[in-house]
Amino acid sequence: VKKDSCKIAKTMQYSVPDCHAPYSWEAEDMGSYSPGWNRTKNVNGSKTVLTPWHYQTQAKLRANPVWGGLALYKGGGYVVELGPDQKNAS
């Protein structure tokens, strides 16, 4: 869920520095990150390199929505190929 996707009362902002709304397709975070989950900035004209920190769409992954414990989740996400066996996955 996107950071700051809900409002925090001014009197609580010192105690609660950021807020995340309940999951919804509209609030889903599809941003690009760098290692450590630090937000990256898009550079005009640059190609996105597929890494575990770049969101891939449901269409790109050829996936379907998935029912989870709380909601129906989009079929997209952050993906990394682990390899054919445990040695390569490490």
Side-chain angles (χ1 to χ4, degrees):
V1 174
K2 296 174 190 171
K3 184 177 179 180
D4 298 326
S5 53
C6 60
K7 301 286 184 193
I8 303 169
K10 288 188 183 207
T11 57
M12 295 295 296
Q13 288 177 350
Y14 179 75
S15 300
V16 182
D18 62 295
C19 180
H20 296 82
Y23 176 83
S24 70
W25 286 21
E26 294 77 26
E28 184 175 13
D29 187 353
M30 295 180 283
S32 293
Y33 295 88
S34 61
W37 294 102
N38 297 306
R39 178 69 86 173
T40 60
K41 294 180 180 172
N42 293 336
V43 179
N44 291 336
S46 68
K47 271 190 170 180
T48 301
V49 176
L50 295 180
T51 72
W53 297 277
H54 292 271
Y55 184 90
Q56 295 182 56
T57 65
Q58 175 178 313
K60 176 76 175 171
L61 295 172
R62 297 174 54 183
N64 294 307
V66 176
W67 275 108
L70 301 174
L72 178 66
Y73 297 91
K74 287 184 181 179
Y78 301 89
V79 179
V80 64
E81 179 66 44
L82 296 176
D85 55 42
Q86 187 172 359
K87 180 180 176 186
N88 288 321
S90 296

